[in-house]
């Protein structure tokens, strides 16, 4: 269905995730015969350097997907809603980073290390949804434990970076740092408030039950990815002034018992995560160290003393929001449709 050297399109190529798509396609040497870059009218005509080639950013339109085999979307919900179905109609496999289709029962919601098996049954062009960044990062760490003993309840507190709100939010945080040094008033165009030296509730809409959308996504997406409507999840999602890696404090209640030692053994073997848990040196996952790498860092692994022995565990994780939380996960999905990509990757360094 998809050739071994597909034509790939990036929708939202000038954004934070779009730029990361480019960097990961290059570092993983994703085989392709052509790469096409799309954004809005604002940045059409921009020239982007890709592996020594100059690529032109084009304005997205209804004909953009003619001849394209795989489209990686990260231009927001409205663009996905309008152009996702057009791309599929044109014969294109769409991996969508927005929340637009995630809860559609006909759309797979995939973290390859967790439920990548659902991709095996896909035989024709369709939309595949990339989960929310906080969900991906949490589930990378806890799914191996869920597989082992079943997780009954998960309590999450997030510490979310600027990147989740896009490149402009990252620039605003950097601008506020410069404004602080210069003694200028803060620019507050994105969040409408001081972000530097501050912590505030996630900027998504709050529903009548008091949960914001980000918190609700953690519940609904976890249930869908695990295909488990019983798991209980509650979350408090917060923005902290870091640039591109989220942290999450996670408390788990298990169905069956699991000792801390067995949890460590399981986590040490799990793909895509790295244990950083040095109690003596007080070295645990930090966003600075999680930034720019593929693995999600997992630490502060400890039995929850408020629960029966073996029934609860605490973790602290940090993962690059733009990378595993968005672009890398989407590209790993796309790789499942291009067997040649896996071969190339096996012969190259997976990490940059
Ligand atoms: P543009 O640079 O033209 O605004 P981020 O999430 O970092 O804010 O990036 C959003 C990405 O989505 C950018 O590449 C942006 O392009 C793109 N984008 C926003 N609106 C549209 C649109 N209507 N059509 C195509 N691309 C869009």
């Amino acid at each position: 269905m998809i050739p071994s050297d597909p034509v790939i399109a990036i929708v939202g190529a000038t954004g934070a995730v779009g730029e990361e798509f480019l960097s990961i396609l290059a570092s993983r040497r994703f085989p392709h015969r052509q790469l096409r870059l799309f954004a809005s009218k604002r940045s059409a005509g921009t020239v982007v350097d890709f592996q020594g080639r100059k690529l032109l950013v084009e304005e997205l339109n209804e004909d953009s997907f003619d001849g394209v085999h795989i489209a990686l979307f990260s231009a927001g919900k409205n663009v996905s809603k309008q152009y996702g179905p057009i791309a599929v109609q044109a014969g294109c496999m769409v991996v969508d980073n927005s929340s637009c289709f995630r809860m559609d029962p006909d759309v797979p919601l995939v973290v390859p290390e967790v439920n990548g098996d659902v991709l095996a049954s896909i035989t024709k062009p369709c939309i595949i949804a990339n989960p929310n960044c906080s969900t991906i990062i949490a589930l990378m760490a806890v799914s191996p434990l869920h597989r082992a003993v079943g997780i009954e309840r998960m309590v999450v507190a997030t510490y979310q970076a600027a990147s989740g709100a896009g490149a402009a939010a990252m620039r605003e945080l950097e601008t506020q740092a410069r404004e602080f040094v210069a003694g200028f008033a803060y620019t507050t165009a994105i969040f409408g408030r001081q972000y530097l030296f501050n912590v505030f509730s996630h900027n998504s809409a709050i529903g009548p039950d008091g949960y914001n959308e980000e918190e609700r996504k953690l519940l609904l997406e976890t249930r869908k990815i695990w295909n488990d409507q019983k798991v209980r999840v509650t979350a408090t999602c917060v923005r902290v002034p870091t640039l591109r890696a989220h942290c999450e404090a996670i408390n788990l209640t298990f169905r069956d018992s699991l000792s801390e030692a067995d949890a460590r053994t399981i986590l040490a073997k799990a793909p895509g995560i790295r244990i950083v848990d040095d109690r003596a040196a007080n070295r645990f996952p930090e966003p600075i160290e999680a930034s720019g790498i593929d693995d999600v860092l997992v630490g502060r692994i400890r039995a929850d003393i408020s629960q029966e022995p073996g029934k609860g565990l605490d973790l602290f994780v940090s993962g690059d929001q733009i990378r595993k939380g968005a672009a890398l996960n989407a590209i790993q999905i796309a790789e499942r449709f291009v067997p040649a990509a896996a071969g190339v990757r096996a012969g190259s360094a997976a990490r940059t």
Side-chain angles (χ1 to χ4, degrees), residues 208-226:
D209 59 1
Y211 281 82
N212 64 42
E213 276 177 12
E214 189 81 357
E215 292 158 355
R216 203 165 300 112
K217 283 173 190 173
L218 265 158
L219 165 66
L220 299 176
E221 295 183 16
T222 297
R223 285 185 166 174
K224 179 165 175 177
I225 293 164
W226 284 355

Side-chain angles (χ1 to χ4, degrees), residues 14-204:
T14 52
V17 175
E19 286 181 3
E20 200 69 16
F21 280 143
L22 284 162
S23 138
I24 295 172
L25 288 173
S27 68
R28 291 169 85 90
R29 293 195 263 145
F30 196 111
H32 61 279
R33 73 180 78 154
Q34 194 189 359
L35 188 53
R36 298 192 57 193
L37 307 184
F38 297 103
S40 78
K41 200 174 186 167
R42 285 181 293 277
S43 41
T46 307
V47 174
V48 171
D49 196 58
F50 180 76
Q51 295 184 301
R53 279 183 278 153
K54 302 276 181 222
L55 302 181
L56 187 69
V57 177
E58 304 169 63
E59 182 181 355
L60 185 66
N61 67 56
E62 298 202 346
D63 300 324
S64 297
F65 303 98
D66 293 349
V68 173
H69 302 104
I70 298 174
L72 304 169
F73 273 64
S74 192
K77 205 171 170 177
N78 293 337
V79 172
S80 295
K81 189 172 180 186
Q82 183 178 351
Y83 290 98
I86 292 173
V88 172
Q89 197 62 39
C92 187
M93 190 65 83
V94 171
V95 186
D96 181 33
N97 192 49
S98 84
S99 61
C100 186
F101 302 103
R102 285 182 194 150
M103 296 318 297
D104 182 329
D106 295 327
V107 172
L109 182 66
V110 179
V111 182
E113 293 88 342
V114 179
N115 65 335
D117 52 321
V118 303
L119 297 171
S121 57
I122 296 175
T123 54
K124 56 182 197 315
C126 65
I127 295 171
I128 299 160
N130 216 34
N132 171 261
C133 47
S134 302
T135 311
I136 294 176
I137 291 165
L139 295 199
M140 283 298 291
V142 306
S143 295
L145 307 176
H146 180 59
R147 259 195 299 276
V149 291
I151 289 170
E152 192 174 282
R153 180 168 186 255
M154 175 162 78
V155 182
V156 183
T158 69
Y159 306 69
Q160 297 188 221
S163 55
M170 297 171 79
R171 280 194 298 272
E172 182 159 294
L173 180 56
E174 290 169 338
T175 300
Q176 288 193 359
R178 281 191 290 272
E179 288 165 342
F180 169 75
V181 172
F184 294 164
Y186 290 119
T187 303
T188 58
I190 304 296
F191 295 118
R193 50 158 61 82
Q194 180 178 334
Y195 188 14
L196 187 72
F197 306 137
N198 196 12
V199 166
F200 55 89
S201 186
H202 191 274
N203 47 296
S204 53

Side-chain angles (χ1 to χ4, degrees), residues 2-19:
I2 294 177
S4 56
D5 60 342
V7 177
I8 300 175
I10 297 180
V11 178
T14 52
V17 175
E19 286 181 3

Side-chain angles (χ1 to χ4, degrees), residues 157-161 236-240 242 245-249 287 316-317:
T158 69
Y159 306 69
Q160 297 188 221
T236 301
C237 291
V238 161
R239 284 253 182 242
V240 297
T242 53
H246 289 350
C247 294
E248 301 180 43
F316 188 76
V317 305

